[in-house]
Each structure stands twice: as structure tokens, then as C-alpha cells.
Amino acid sequence: MKKKCLPVLLALVLALSACGRSGGDMSAPQDMLVGWGGVGEPRVFQDTEAAPAESEVPPETPTEPPAPWPEPESAPKAENEKIIYSADLELETKSFDTACMSLDQAVSGMGGRYESRTLHQQGSYRSLCCTVRVPSEKFRLFLDEAGTVGHVTYRSEYTEDVGEAYYDSEARLATQRTKLERLQKLLEEAAGLEDIILLEQALSETELQIEYLTGDLRRYDSLIGYSTVNITLGEVYRLTTDEEVVQSFPQRLAAAFGTGLRRGAEGLEELTIAVASNWVGILVLAAAGTGVWSVLRRRKKRKTPPAPPADGE
């Protein structure tokens, strides 16, 4: 008898998992009882106690008005929301080492950690690119604290609500665990080799789904519990500032002269630094140019014909 019923039970367990994945209600009606016949086919019995017969319904009597229909459950409250916070922050500073130390203190003070940290050397200047993970409840506090490390040139915040995906994965995980328990019970009762093989395959697939869904929930918990902040800290000679808005022509002209003078001074400084950094190459090029000019000058003198003698000589 058990051997005949086992394939049907296995089919019902697999159908239960399919209903759980689609989000349907898996509970059977309360007024229906399911049993098993002698030939392995399901047989449905009507529950006689579920509702009285039409002739036995008592006559209507005046009663109190029915209670109002209960309102549907509202959306998850704020404490149950699943939101991922992230941000991009770009800074610049003239004191690179001091700014890096201040950033380290801000990260440790907020209970965060570095997920990645890369230091670049670009000519005479350095830059730091890092990804910081901080507790979500201190997300904006950390952004404000990190903004004091240097001059902020760019700041952008992002939020992503993953509540629907999170609770869907949670419900599917519960369904898969229920399916696993029922398959294990069926495996204990199985006698035929074919049934055992089918049940072991179903158990393996179910365990794989449970592992996959558990990993998804862990990843969501990590992203929700700890916010992600991408920071770029650059070393500069002069901070980027917004020029003051001027209205009158003399003020605009004076501002233009000031800007031209400042940019000219910066250009001369950069040129001097470039010459000092490549003075060996400049000397070699100068020596080679002098040699070429001397050779060309000698060839020109050889090709020039001598002047004719003057009259009377």
C-alpha cells in the first residue's frame, strides 16, 4: 500500500513547492478532507460538520449589525523596511597625509571598515580611492564627518528599497524548508529503489535552493546593515573654489585680470617644475641642437663661392 501511495505523495510535495514559489496560498479548505483509497488515488470527503443542512438552518432572528470588515494589513513599518544606502564622495586637499589620517579616524570612530583601498601616484600628486562600509544608522553622520577631511567637490547619495525581494526570498526559503522536511519523511518510508532515487534527487535540488536563498538573504542583510561609501581623495596644489559672482563691468574686468594673473603664475610654476624635473634631457637636446647647427653652418661656408677680386688688384 505504501509503495503505491509514495509516487502520489511525492507529486504533491513537488506541487506544494511550486505553489510556494508562486506566492499562492498552500492551505487546503477547512471543509474538505483528503484521504487515500486502496488503489493509490486521492478521495475527497465532505465534512458534514462544516455547515448545517438547508433544512436545519434556524430561522433568522434579529441580531446586532455585523462588525465592520477588518482593514487589510498596512505596509511594513519603518523598522521593517529593507533599504540599502550608498554614496559617492569626492574630496581634494593640500595636506594629503593629514587628510588620510583624519579619514582613518572617521572610519574607525563610526564603527566602519575599509572594503578596498588604493593609492595612486600621478606625477607630483597622490590620490586615494577607497570603499568604506559603515553602519546604516551612521550613514549621513559619516558623510558629514568625511566632508570635513577635505574640500568637497562632489557628493551623491542613493537609496534602494529591496523589501519586496527580501520578503519574497524569505517566504520561498520557508517553503523550501517545509518541502525538505516532508521529503525526508517520505525517504524514511520509501522501500523501492526507484522511489529512493527520485526522493534523493528532489532532496538535492531542495537543499541547493535553500543554500541559494540563504546566501541571498545574507547578502541583503550585509548591504542593509552596512552602507557603502565610495571616496576619492585627491592631492592638489590649489583648491577648487567657485569664483564670486560680480555684476558691474569694472568688477568683472578686475576679476578677469586676477584670474589671468593667477593662471599665468601657475603656468610659470608648472613650467619651472617641468624644467627642473627634466633638466638632463633638456641639456642633451640643447647639446645635440648646438652640434647640428654647427655642422650646418660649416657646410654653408664651404658652398659659398669666394668674393671676386676688386678692380686694380
Side-chain angles (χ1 to χ4, degrees), residues 88-207:
D88 293 328
L89 187 63
E90 295 182 5
L91 307 169
E92 60 181 13
T93 180
K94 295 188 291 184
S95 303
F96 187 77
D97 295 329
T98 303
C100 289
M101 293 177 60
S102 300
L103 183 60
D104 294 340
Q105 294 175 359
V107 173
S108 60
M110 295 292 175
R113 67 178 186 275
Y114 285 103
E115 190 173 72
S116 64
R117 182 183 174 98
T118 306
L119 182 65
H120 299 277
Q121 184 75 34
Q122 300 173 348
S124 302
Y125 302 101
R126 297 165 291 177
S127 64
L128 174 68
C129 297
C130 60
T131 300
V132 181
R133 301 294 302 279
V134 294
S136 297
E137 61 270 13
K138 298 181 180 180
F139 172 65
R140 289 189 173 83
L141 291 177
F142 174 76
L143 285 179
D144 296 337
E145 182 69 19
T148 62
V149 169
H151 177 66
V152 179
T153 59
Y154 179 80
R155 172 173 171 172
S156 181
E157 302 178 16
Y158 314 95
T159 59
E160 181 182 2
D161 189 353
V162 295
E164 182 177 355
Y166 185 92
Y167 291 117
D168 178 68
S169 298
E170 200 172 45
R172 291 171 59 190
L173 179 60
T175 302
Q176 292 296 323
R177 286 175 175 171
T178 303
K179 174 185 173 183
L180 180 64
E181 294 177 358
R182 297 188 178 183
L183 287 173
Q184 289 174 345
K185 291 180 180 179
L186 290 175
L187 184 61
E188 294 176 357
E189 300 174 357
L193 180 60
E194 183 179 356
D195 296 335
I196 293 175
I197 293 175
L198 291 175
L199 287 171
E200 287 181 347
Q201 291 178 352
L203 281 170
S204 178
E205 295 176 358
T206 304
E207 290 173 350

Side-chain angles (χ1 to χ4, degrees), residues 16-33:
L16 173 63
S17 64
C19 294
R21 287 194 298 268
S22 62
D25 188 4
M26 299 178 294
S27 60
Q30 296 180 358
D31 58 346
M32 303 293 291
L33 298 176

Side-chain angles (χ1 to χ4, degrees), residues 2 14 42 71 133 179 214 238 255 274 296 302 313:
K2 293 183 179 179
L14 296 178
E71 296 182 359
R133 301 294 302 279
K179 174 185 173 183
T214 303
R238 190 184 302 275
L296 293 176
R302 291 175 183 176
E313 292 184 358

